[in-house]
Amino acid sequence: MEERIGRFIAALRASGVRVSVAESQDAWRAVEDLGARQREAFRLALRTTLIKDEPNIERFEELFPMYFGTGAPPLMDPQAELSPDEQQMLQQAMQSLAEQLQQLMEWLLSGQGPSQDELEELADQAGMNRARRPSPLQQAWYERRMQRLLGWQQLQELLEMLWEMLAQMGMDPQTIEQLQARVAENQAALEQQLSEFAGQKLVDNMIDDYQQRPPIDELMERPFGSLTQAEMDQLRDQVRRLAARLRSRAALRQKRGKRGKLDSKTTIRANLRHSGVPFEMHFKQKRLKPKVVAILDVSTSMRPLAEFFVRLLYELQDQIQKTRSFAFIDHLEDVTDDLLARHIDDAVHIILHKLPPGHYNTDLGHSLRQFEAAHLDAVDRRTTVIVVGDGRNNYNDPAIPIFSKICRRARRAIWLNPEYPAQWGSGDSDMLQYAPLCTEIYQVRNLAQLADAIDRMLAG
Amino acid sequence: MAEQIFDTVDAVKRALEGCLYIASDEIATVVYLAEKLGKPVLAEGPAGVGKTELSKAWAAATNRPLVRMQCYEGLDESKALYEWEYAKQMLYTQLLRDKLADLLAGASSLSDAADRLANEEDVFFSERFLLQRPLLRAINSDTPTVLLVDEIDRADAEFEAFLLEVLSDFQVTVPELGTIVARHHPTVFLTSNNTRELSEALKRRCLYIYIDYPSTEEELQIVRLKVPDLQPKLARQAVEAVQALRNIDLRKNPSVSETLDWARALVTLNAQALDKATMENTLTVLLKYEADVARARRALRLEEEARRGRKDW
């Protein structure tokens, strides 16, 4: 049992749920207290101690039956109610039938399911250990494959033959019917067993796969564009964690900056009740209430990175209340509400859906003009303007005067560009024209650079 | 007052039910484990599903006083833990002026006087002048308490970090008095409406439970228990209507507490059936946004038309 729970926790981790050592200890204590006999209580004890985020509950519910069963009944011995004579008949009939399916027939008719070793062997034959990137989605496929290896398709035919043969040998029809019912039950139970085993095996392999993955430091240095799907998921996690860390770091900074100059007016008023003796000091509060306007390029050239930056906007909006977010390709869309109202994944999906990629239709100049016409009031001297894009404008008018106007109104203008500085100004890139207008420019190609840039942005 | 002992999950469930709280198996298990393991419970879920009510019911079931701390932006230690009562200290100093004069009368020098005064310092920095805020009250209590930290997601991240410290050791240091260690570990409930992500450190220390809207049957059970005067048939209709409303895309879904308000309104209005007029008149009890009310009306009308259309057919 202990090993089981350990494996289960490893499986949770492999599928992206963060479980700390302290939490697994809590799970132990909870299970010790409630006992593992009652399935429901056991499940709830594990869930409340291991899962701390609502979206992860689903993963838990998927994995739990793979490790602790669905409560399916074990195979039963259909021969228990047969007389010795009848048993003999059955043996003879079976022997005369197909050799290849002997194993399967034996399991069904003896009520003894496959052993762990036999299952392992079967899974290996089905190629489960060679799967390149195991995922729970493959469960049904491997399950069918294991069934085919056992000869499940021919089974029904064979069973029909068996019943016929037994009838010919003179077995009581009622007994045969009973036997049929039992075998059918066993068949269902065996199917369930195979399915569970396939699922668990996959997850087990997933754990090993997870433990062999490259460490995150290396990922930090790799460009966003060259990542596989699984690495993307991993990075996504990192972005979230990064944002959480930045949030608390920013909060600490806010606290440190709280005490300002003595506020004599409030102090005198507050100390009137102490007959003017200044007991309670009041200080001017230094409020760090930044405003952010973020403009994000989601055009074809930026597409591979767009999702990350949308996520970044989402977290930024979470962090800084007065954030306005815009996305553009050929025109500008205000996406603030999309980011505000929804869950992060939905928000990303909706925004990328709103602005489908086209062919060479990026027009930053036009988008900037639109911004000036409709949203210029969002920029004031407290505002930090963040532009994320490669500055590639398809030889359209870059609208430099307008960008310059926006920059002059804003406190700071920050540009995040994924391209190397050497590429700026080449081809249709107008970056060199925009660059002198910005307060700061960061090249952001990977997570390490992103973390660095955000940190410096929040510091100011 | 004897402490009851809750040995099984079922006992917890029954005790909560005795206090008019219908607990699912999940809730009962978590509360039971919280008592056994001495861990705080973090309850998340939409507003008005009974997260706060749970701690109140548990306090009532265990006969313990409930200490409630409502969180808000800008909540700090002095509001949550303790504060020196300056005004009272001032008043005492004024009133005791003669006594102080006596004390300092024979002082030979200024430093002698200061020493004498310093000896009496303890008088002014004693628990007498300590204004206890909820956290300290829960820790300092002679009897075990139930501590409710409501809507923790509204407090700042720095307060969360501070809370972490208190919740892990259950002790508080007041520089002038020393460390106050809890005589009894309070049972702690934290609630969150998930307006922001809580820190992993806090989550790690808590047992987690997500309380969602109840199913039709569960909600009906709650209505029957809390508003027994409502006719059973009407109660069912009302609950079904609320459940249907939750399926429409509304700005704010009607909560369980609003269902109960509505049920009480129906009793007060002496409604016999849930007809269109009653529904229209009382919809504002359930829905708190003009746009939501309009949307719900439209949905009701569509339903009505569909029904009539079927009849005409």
Side-chain angles (χ1 to χ4, degrees), chain A residues 18 20 23 26 29-30 33-34 44-45 47-49 51-54 57 241 247 251 255 274 279, chain B residues 9 25-26 29-30 32-33 36-37 39 77 86-87 90 157-158 197 200 203-204 206-208 210:
Chain A
R18 294 187 65 78
S20 72
E23 279 166 323
D26 286 342
R29 283 170 61 202
D33 209 279
L34 279 171
L44 290 174
R47 198 168 96 179
T48 187
T49 45
I51 304 295
K52 304 290 165 79
D53 283 296
E54 191 247 322
I57 291 179
R241 279 165 52 73
R247 188 155 39 215
K255 188 184 178 184
H274 309 313
F279 262 105
Chain B
V9 175
D25 281 342
E26 196 181 348
T29 311
V30 172
Y32 169 82
L33 282 175
K36 282 281 166 186
L37 306 182
K39 295 222 138 216
E77 288 143 57
Y86 291 111
M90 267 308 286
E158 56 183 273
E197 192 101 359
E200 275 178 28
K203 284 182 173 175
R204 214 165 35 227
C206 297
L207 297 177
Y208 179 83
Y210 185 83

